[in-house]
Amino acid sequence: SQKIEQNSEALNIQEGKTATLTCNYTNYSPAYLQWYRQDPGRGPVFLLLIRENEKEKRKERLKVTFDTTLKQSLFHITASQPADSATYLCALASDYKLSFGAGTTVTVRA
Amino acid sequence: EAGVAQSPRYKIIEKRQSVAFWCNPISGHATLYWYQQILGQGPKLLIQFQNNGVVDDSQLPKDRFSAERLKGVDSTLKIQPAKLEDSAVYLCASSLATGTSGRVNEQFFGPGTRLTVL
């Protein structure tokens, strides 16, 4: 069966450190992978998209890698700030639709 | 630019009652999605429209859920009758039309409707 697994444990990090989140998948052949941020009581907000033929994508302090051999994406937040505290969702795009993981909650301590 | 609007924001009903949610997507967005997000889980796609046609409703429990998108703009999602396990946040999202290459464009989400079924 198809599965998308993100870090099951919440991530607590010190301000200024790098947060690294993982997204592993099985029985998918995604053409694209997207990352979203979700704050409590709000809908997800799009952050980054990476194609299957791209290894890495960057946007400001965010970096995403995509390894179709390992069936894994890594999401990095560098120089983290308390404002980065949120739940981060990975989403796989195949067959013209998105399938979401359960998300990883990140808390950045000042 | 106005975002995706949803109403109501909260709804509490008894099991076996009916409920309807409304969504107004971003102007010009051809694709509209309804997701169900149960606490602690990621959003699960219920139905996807391209203009006013259904692209995917494979995960919609059609015995109790229905959705329509009249005139290719606003959409309503209805549950009749509701069950306890329908308690969740119902998210509406919209995007530019899905590309012919299979690209799924970034989706813009509304704030959601939190449904509690007692």
Side-chain angles (χ1 to χ4, degrees):
Chain A
S1 62
Q2 295 179 316
K3 272 188 186 177
I4 303 170
E5 291 180 323
Q6 298 189 241
N7 307 55
S8 56
E9 299 287 325
L11 208 56
N12 284 282
I13 60 170
Q14 187 71 37
E15 182 176 10
K17 301 292 186 185
T18 296
T20 299
L21 285 63
T22 61
C23 176
N24 296 299
Y25 60 91
T26 53
N27 295 320
Y28 278 98
S29 296
Y32 298 83
L33 190 145
Q34 300 182 9
W35 283 87
Y36 287 77
R37 168 185 172 139
Q38 187 171 26
D39 291 286
R42 295 178 175 264
V45 174
F46 173 81
L47 295 174
L48 281 166
L49 177 154
I50 186 166
R51 297 179 178 83
E52 60 179 338
N53 61 351
E54 295 176 320
K55 295 296 182 190
E56 182 179 297
K57 206 78 169 283
R58 290 175 185 260
K59 180 183 175 183
E60 297 172 353
R61 295 183 295 107
L62 307 178
K63 185 178 88 171
V64 173
T65 63
F66 191 12
D67 188 325
T68 55
T69 301
L70 290 179
K71 296 188 184 299
Q72 180 182 77
S73 174
L74 298 179
F75 178 83
H76 306 271
I77 308 171
T78 59
S80 60
Q81 303 168 0
D84 296 327
S85 298
T87 296
Y88 292 86
L89 301 161
C90 75
L92 275 58
S94 63
D95 298 328
Y96 300 93
K97 63 186 180 186
L98 285 183
S99 299
F100 284 85
T104 299
T105 299
V106 175
T107 302
V108 182
R109 303 187 309 273
Chain B
E1 168 183 272
V4 175
Q6 288 189 248
S7 68
R9 290 296 314 276
Y10 305 92
K11 190 75 177 178
I12 300 174
I13 61 173
E14 301 271 336
K15 60 183 179 184
R16 291 189 289 273
Q17 285 187 322
S18 302
V19 65
F21 313 126
W22 173 82
C23 173
N24 180 240
I26 291 173
S27 176
H29 281 191
T31 311
L32 184 147
Y33 315 80
W34 282 103
Y35 289 90
Q36 179 193 60
Q37 187 173 25
I38 293 171
L39 189 64
Q41 299 182 18
K44 182 181 94 171
L45 180 68
L46 293 175
I47 189 165
Q48 178 176 338
F49 293 94
Q50 179 104 340
N51 297 308
N52 57 350
V54 175
V55 174
D56 188 298
D57 63 357
S58 56
Q59 298 191 96
L60 187 74
K62 297 180 187 65
D63 57 334
R64 298 183 301 105
F65 286 64
S66 64
E68 61 181 7
R69 190 182 184 196
L70 299 175
K71 301 181 182 178
V73 182
D74 293 5
S75 177
T76 55
L77 176 70
K78 295 178 183 176
I79 308 175
Q80 180 181 6
K83 292 185 175 181
L84 296 176
E85 60 260 37
D86 298 332
S87 294
V89 175
Y90 290 86
L91 294 163
C92 178
S94 69
S95 70
L96 295 171
T98 301
T100 53
S101 63
R103 174 185 169 118
V104 179
N105 291 307
E106 63 179 279
Q107 297 182 14
F108 296 81
F109 284 82
T113 297
R114 181 176 297 278
L115 174 67
T116 302
V117 182
L118 303 175

